Amino acid sequence: NLSGELIVFFLFAFIAVTGGILLLTLKKVMHMVLAVVFTFISIAGLYVLLSAEFLAAVQLLIYSGAITIMILFGIMLTKKETREVEKKNRFQNGIILIGIVCLATCIYLGIYNIEIDSIQTDLHQANTEKIGIELYSKYIIPFEVTSILLLVALMGAVIIAKKDETDKEEKRE
C-alpha cells in the first residue's frame, strides 16, 4: 500500500542519503556543510514520522542549528592549507564498492529477518512530558555532568585557539 506517510518517508530517506553522499563527494567545505544540514533536517522529519517530536526538535535545534554553526566557525577560524590529495585507483574503488555492497546486504538481511511482536503501547501520548520527567528525575546527575563537561570542552577550545593566536604573533615578531 502506497500511503502518504510512506511517500514522505521515502522522500526524507532520499534527502538524507543524498545529503550524505554529497557530503562525501563535494569539493567545497561550505557546500559540504549545506549537505549535512539537509541530512540533519531530513532526519528530524523522520523523527516526526516516528511520533518522536521531542527528538525532532532537538535534532533541529542542536544538530541543524548549533553543530552547523560550530562547524562554520571552525572552518572560518582555521587557516586554509591547500594540499594535494592522492586519488584512489580503480582497485581501491572496487574494494570500497564491494565493502559497501556487503555491508548493505548484511544490514538488509538483518532487518528483513527480524520478527517484532506487535503490542499496543501509549508511546504517542505526551512523549515529551515523559522524557522530561525521566530526564529531570532519574537522570539529573548525568545530565548536569554532561553540561559541565561541554562547558569545560568549550573553555579548552577557547584556550587552545588563544594559544595558537599568541604563537602566531610571537612568530611574527
Side-chain angles (χ1 to χ4, degrees):
N1 294 340
L2 195 62
S3 66
E5 186 175 343
L6 186 64
I7 292 171
V8 172
F9 169 78
F10 282 123
L11 178 69
F12 282 139
F14 176 75
I15 293 170
V17 171
T18 303
I21 291 170
L22 286 175
L23 169 69
L24 297 174
T25 57
L26 291 172
K27 300 292 183 206
K28 295 187 178 184
V29 179
M30 296 303 262
H31 294 165
M32 292 177 185
V33 171
L34 285 175
V36 168
V37 169
F38 282 119
T39 303
F40 288 155
I41 291 172
S42 63
I43 290 173
L46 291 172
Y47 284 143
V48 170
L49 287 176
L50 290 171
S51 296
E53 294 85 11
F54 179 76
L55 287 178
V58 168
Q59 177 79 18
L60 284 174
L61 289 173
I62 293 176
Y63 286 103
S64 298
I67 299 297
T68 304
I69 296 299
M70 269 188 13
I71 291 171
L72 290 174
F73 276 130
I75 291 168
M76 290 188 292
L77 293 175
T78 57
K79 61 181 181 177
K80 298 176 182 176
E81 292 181 13
T82 56
R83 60 184 175 103
E84 289 293 320
V85 178
E86 63 181 58
K87 294 185 178 184
K88 295 181 178 79
N89 59 24
R90 289 182 183 255
F91 179 71
Q92 288 175 326
N93 288 340
I95 290 175
I96 292 170
L97 182 63
I98 290 171
I100 291 171
V101 168
C102 289
L103 178 66
T105 304
C106 290
I107 291 172
Y108 174 75
L109 292 175
I111 292 173
Y112 185 75
N113 293 328
I114 291 177
E115 292 183 24
I116 300 174
D117 295 332
S118 177
I119 54 174
Q120 190 70 19
T121 63
D122 62 343
L123 291 177
H124 303 297
Q125 299 171 356
N127 60 359
T128 304
E129 180 183 355
K130 291 177 185 176
I131 290 171
I133 290 169
E134 289 289 317
L135 184 64
Y136 290 115
S137 61
K138 292 182 183 177
Y139 302 106
I140 189 68
I141 300 296
F143 182 76
E144 291 300 326
V145 169
T146 303
S147 67
I148 292 170
L149 178 68
L150 290 172
L151 180 64
V152 169
L154 177 66
M155 290 177 4
V158 169
I159 290 170
I160 289 172
K162 290 284 185 185
K163 182 179 175 185
D164 287 344
E165 286 179 8
T166 56
D167 290 344
K168 289 178 186 176
E169 289 176 9
E170 288 176 3
K171 287 181 182 178
R172 289 180 190 163
E173 293 173 1

